[in-house]
Amino acid sequence: MEALIRLERVEKVFQVRRKAGRLRSVRSEVRAVDGISFDIARGEMVGYIGPNGAGKSTTIKMLTGILVPSGGRLRVAGIDPARERTRLARRIGVVFGQRTTLWWDLPLRDSYELVRRMYRIPDDRYARNLARCVELLDLGALLDAPVRQLSLGQRMRGDIAAALLHDPEVLYLDEPTIGLDVVSKAKVRGFLRDLNTERGTTVLLTTHDLTDIEQLCTRVMVIDHGRLVHDGDLGGLHAVGDSERTLVVDFERELPPVRIAGARPVKVEGPRQWLAFPASASAAPLVAELTARYPLVDLSVREPVIEDVIARMYADRAAL
Amino acid sequence: MAEALRAYALIAGAWIRSTMAYRFSFVMMTVGNFLATALNFAAIAIIFGHTRLLGGFSLPETAFLYGTSGCALGLADLVLGSMDQLGRRVRDGTLDTLLVRPAPVFAQAAADRFALRRLGRITQSALVLIWALAALKVVWTPADVLLVPVMLLSGAAIFGAIFVIGAAFQFWATDAAEVQNSFTYGGNGLTQYPPTIFAKDLLRGATFVVPLAFINWLPALHILGRPDPLGLPGWLDFCSPLVAVVACGVAGLAWRAGLKSYRSTGS
Ligand SMILES: Nc1ncnc2c1ncn2[C@@H]1O[C@H](COP(=O)(O)OP(=O)(O)OP(=O)(O)O)[C@@H](O)[C@H]1O
Ligand SMILES: [Mg+2]
């Protein structure tokens, strides 16, 4: 099947000027996206992660037509985004976690009404989609408030709804869970999962919250310094990154760093100790051994955080 | 083009509805706009309290200049006044949000925060113009009568072009709005007075560099039957529509170039 989104050696180079001294400035280049290629098939839900400044937002901006690539070839639903931006706009939905696409001073309801007319959404479809979003994203009480009065989490939910009223084939989300509380995050994730499984909407999302990826995406792409360094499932990422989980153990009293096979002591703080073990290994045998040999009060397992995974990937890549 | 007009009407309509939700505040703002611009005319009236002629122009003649310039600017300001917000959008990257919608960016930027209170300026200028038309002692030929609406529309288009060129520059220099304001509101301040009171060099600049003279001076001088202080050929008095078309063309090109150079922001 032809890919819905296809990037071939796509590049984006920014010319930037930096101050050098009082009046002089020097020009330099930032290769924000440095030759990226990938395909996304219809119906996929893909996580796009990487450290700050990796080039995630820049990629999304090229996929929407906001930015023109400096090189390479890029197609979304067969359309060259930069060339036919407005035609593409009818077929995609975009949510920027950092800023709203709604009209700041208009009530949410008026913003949606404007979206309806701008996208020429048939009345019945609009009514259906809006009702669904209002219910699932819990927007009922917010419809009459101007967007500027909404809290960050409320605004984000409002934005997600606005991006979906016209039934886009592709939804891009740039940090959709940034700053959301636990309840809102769960709501948004549940909503996106349904959208993907029930409607088959293709979703590309960037995030710094690995839980988003774990709960939503079967495929994850990692970008750093504008280059794609991983494209596969999340398990594969842990394997590639050689990442570790951490066992946090509270003993009854202070002990010297414990030594057991398959784990290495990382930190000791009074009676609490941190033990790292490979993410691919099971925690069960370690827990069994610890409980058999030491007096325990409490114990928990910490999943690796995305930054650690990526940091490790880079340490490994640099060592190659 | 039809798409752009449609998008403009949709967005402006939404803003009008939302302003109407706060009717009292809307009325106050419009009255405020009316009074603020009326102060300009008060200044002129005060001058005529001390002298019968200003640069050889009577009060009704000056009021005619004032009314035509004010109506032209008022129309342009009503339709395109929001354009001077563009620099802010470029600086903070919120222009991105206009680029992901299926409507021309130009129409979206122009209709954003459409402010009906700007009718205050138009109303005030129109009242002055109506009074001037009644008080003027000129013999109206059919051509003169036709020239009045033509000069209003051309003038609005020229002011509009300046708004757009100013907006286009904000893609490169995000604080260019100041410069643009000095040409639009400043240009209005200039053309509401008789040209005869200004230095020749200024008039030349306002004719050939920034074509402010075509907004009202040249056609109005024809209607008032007065010689042009620069002694330019008489047919130039009828060239306002042509100048307006050229100005709009330049504005269109500048806008395109500006939009093309937009490169968003890093966050
Ligand atoms: N408009 C711009 N002008 C100049 N440089 C830019 C611009 N946009 C992005 N950059 C640079 O390109 C690089 C990639 O930025 P981008 O916003 O794509 O990162 P990101 O992966 O989204 O990071 P984050 O996780 O912090 O959002 C950064 O070095 C940034 O400074
Ligand atoms: Mg980003």
Side-chain angles (χ1 to χ4, degrees):
Chain A
M1 202 183 85
E2 164 77 349
L4 186 60
I5 299 174
R6 167 161 289 178
L7 278 77
E8 290 167 27
R9 294 182 302 282
V10 170
E11 290 176 14
K12 181 70 201 181
V13 181
F14 290 108
Q15 311 288 336
V16 291
R17 268 193 223 154
R18 292 230 162 70
K19 261 207 166 140
R22 203 168 283 198
L23 292 169
R24 258 165 23 90
S25 68
V26 287
R27 284 167 169 278
S28 64
E29 283 190 348
V30 176
R31 303 189 74 81
V33 171
D34 194 5
I36 283 190
S37 306
F38 61 76
D39 278 3
I40 295 178
R42 197 175 285 277
E44 271 195 286
M45 181 123 164
V46 182
Y48 195 44
I49 60 175
N52 291 136
K56 302 179 295 294
S57 300
T58 305
T59 310
I60 295 211
K61 284 176 190 167
M62 287 193 283
L63 286 169
T64 54
I66 293 172
L67 288 176
V68 187
S70 322
R73 202 182 112 101
L74 191 152
R75 291 287 179 277
V76 178
I79 296 174
D80 178 351
R83 217 162 248 237
E84 291 186 89
R85 198 188 62 238
T86 30
R87 189 159 82 92
L88 181 67
R90 290 183 191 286
R91 303 179 56 176
I92 62 172
V94 192
V95 177
F96 296 113
Q98 312 273 9
R99 62 175 63 110
T100 183
T101 55
L102 300 165
W103 286 265
W104 198 241
D105 292 298
L106 293 184
L108 204 49
R109 192 191 297 281
D110 292 13
S111 266
Y112 291 159
E113 193 59 28
L114 206 45
V115 167
R116 173 178 79 80
R117 302 179 65 185
M118 198 177 272
Y119 287 81
R120 296 193 160 86
I121 309 169
D123 288 352
D124 53 335
R125 198 139 60 99
Y126 172 75
R128 225 175 25 241
N129 287 347
L130 182 60
R132 186 185 133 96
C133 287
V134 166
E135 191 204 319
L136 296 178
L137 291 169
D138 206 5
L139 296 171
L142 309 175
L143 284 176
D144 293 308
V147 174
R148 77 183 123 77
Q149 287 176 10
L150 301 182
S151 78
L152 177 63
Q154 296 169 333
R155 202 271 290 151
M156 196 82 77
R157 272 146 46 205
D159 254 292
I160 293 175
L164 292 170
L165 294 173
H166 62 290
D167 285 327
E169 294 160 59
V170 191
L171 179 63
Y172 305 119
L173 304 139
D174 194 357
E175 303 192 36
T177 55
I178 186 171
L180 299 199
D181 67 28
V182 190
V183 181
S184 296
K185 269 190 188 175
K187 209 166 268 168
V188 165
R189 286 178 193 143
F191 181 80
L192 293 176
R193 192 178 314 113
D194 286 359
L195 182 80
N196 179 250
T197 49
E198 285 170 23
R199 316 212 133 193
T201 308
T202 309
V203 179
L204 177 66
L205 81 104
T206 81
T207 182
H208 289 291
D209 184 344
L210 189 57
T211 323
D212 290 340
I213 306 285
E214 282 172 332
Q215 298 196 352
L216 295 173
C217 304
T218 43
R219 175 178 169 196
V220 53
M221 296 190 288
V222 184
I223 178 179
D224 189 63
H225 291 99
R227 288 166 190 263
L228 207 58
V229 294
H230 173 79
D231 184 352
D233 61 10
L234 197 60
L237 180 60
H238 285 300
V240 172
D242 195 16
S243 69
E244 292 182 318
R245 290 193 283 171
T246 312
L247 212 50
V248 185
V249 195
D250 287 330
F251 297 105
E252 268 175 9
R253 56 178 191 281
E254 289 188 28
L255 289 175
V258 297
R259 305 208 169 270
I260 53 172
R264 88 194 150 77
V266 191
K267 196 162 94 171
V268 180
E269 230 179 68
R272 175 174 286 193
Q273 298 199 10
W274 282 260
L275 298 166
F277 64 100
S280 48
S282 164
L286 299 175
V287 175
E289 191 174 345
L290 279 171
T291 39
R293 285 174 48 190
Y294 301 99
L296 296 191
V297 179
D298 198 3
L299 180 146
S300 64
V301 179
R302 292 237 174 108
E303 295 299 323
V305 280
I306 192 79
E307 276 73 20
D308 287 352
V309 176
I310 291 166
R312 263 165 206 290
M313 277 179 76
Y314 282 95
D316 289 358
R317 275 164 47 85
L320 285 180
Chain B
M1 187 65 192
E3 268 302 301
L5 287 176
R6 180 174 179 274
Y8 187 96
L10 285 179
I11 299 169
W15 283 105
I16 293 173
R17 271 192 302 282
S18 99
T19 354
M20 286 307 162
Y22 306 95
R23 212 159 298 214
F24 178 73
S25 133
F26 165 71
V27 170
M28 292 310 290
M29 297 288 271
T30 312
V31 169
N33 189 279
F34 182 97
L35 292 177
T37 50
L39 279 179
N40 290 332
F41 191 66
I44 292 176
I46 289 170
I47 297 174
F48 278 94
H50 296 281
T51 168
R52 267 193 55 252
L53 294 177
L54 180 63
F57 282 60
S58 68
L59 177 59
E61 284 174 320
T62 308
F64 181 61
L65 291 176
Y66 176 92
T68 45
S69 173
C71 284
L73 177 69
L75 278 174
D77 187 40
L78 179 70
V79 178
L80 295 168
S82 298
M83 279 306 220
D84 58 9
Q85 292 297 311
L86 200 90
R88 179 185 55 78
R89 284 187 169 281
V90 170
R91 197 166 45 244
D92 66 16
T94 49
L95 193 77
D96 287 4
T97 62
L98 307 191
L99 286 155
V100 299
R101 297 193 193 118
V105 177
F106 180 81
Q108 293 186 65
D112 190 39
R113 284 160 204 273
F114 182 85
L116 212 51
R117 65 163 186 279
R118 292 180 177 138
L119 281 176
R121 179 194 292 276
I122 301 183
T123 316
Q124 188 271 134
S125 307
L127 288 176
V128 173
L129 180 59
I130 290 167
W131 175 78
L133 288 174
L136 276 180
K137 294 186 178 61
V138 295
V139 187
W140 289 93
T141 68
D144 289 346
V145 174
L146 191 66
L147 204 52
V148 175
V150 167
M151 80 195 248
L152 287 180
L153 289 180
S154 311
I158 293 171
F159 272 131
I162 299 175
F163 271 115
V164 174
I165 292 171
F169 269 104
Q170 294 175 46
F171 280 108
W172 296 287
T174 52
D175 43 9
E178 301 292 325
V179 183
Q180 171 233 292
N181 284 346
S182 70
F183 284 118
T184 47
Y185 301 107
N188 171 237
L190 202 68
T191 52
Q192 68 195 14
Y193 285 98
T196 44
I197 66 169
F198 297 109
K200 291 256 163 69
D201 280 337
L202 182 64
L203 295 184
R204 274 185 211 106
T207 310
F208 302 110
V209 185
V210 184
L212 296 170
F214 292 91
I215 289 165
N216 64 345
W217 277 344
L218 289 170
L221 289 173
H222 178 85
I223 292 171
L224 300 176
R226 286 179 172 275
D228 166 9
L230 288 181
L232 298 170
W235 51 265
L236 272 179
D237 299 351
F238 300 95
C239 283
S240 294
L242 195 71
V243 171
V245 168
V246 173
C248 290
V250 171
L253 291 176
W255 173 262
R256 257 165 207 245
L259 187 58
K260 218 169 157 186
S261 78
Y262 177 66
R263 43 181 253 174
S264 186
T265 52
S267 65

